[in-house]
Amino acid sequence: MVRRLPLELLGFLILLPIVGIGLSWLSTALAPPYGLSIFGQGLVTWGLLLMLALLFGLF
């Protein structure tokens, strides 16, 4: 597990900006011009919170 953890963390560091940009584009595409909002938060916020929950799940 200790050997795999740095690779998983590197994967998260690479995926975080990709997820943020992708969700930002998707949010604007679904509800232009301001983006889709769920419970007052955008898709980017929810996606990054989900990624953070997955990261804590790995630990």
Side-chain angles (χ1 to χ4, degrees):
M1 181 176 157
V2 175
R3 289 183 188 176
R4 198 176 71 196
L5 188 61
L7 291 176
E8 290 173 352
L9 290 176
L10 181 64
F12 268 96
L13 286 176
I14 293 170
L15 282 178
L16 279 175
I18 294 171
V19 167
I21 292 169
L23 286 175
S24 175
W25 178 83
L26 179 66
S27 175
T28 305
L30 290 175
Y34 301 113
L36 186 65
S37 177
I38 302 171
F39 296 118
Q41 301 297 323
L43 282 183
V44 175
T45 304
W46 289 110
L48 293 179
L49 283 173
L50 179 65
M51 291 290 287
L52 190 61
L54 290 172
L55 179 63
F56 280 117
L58 286 174
F59 286 124

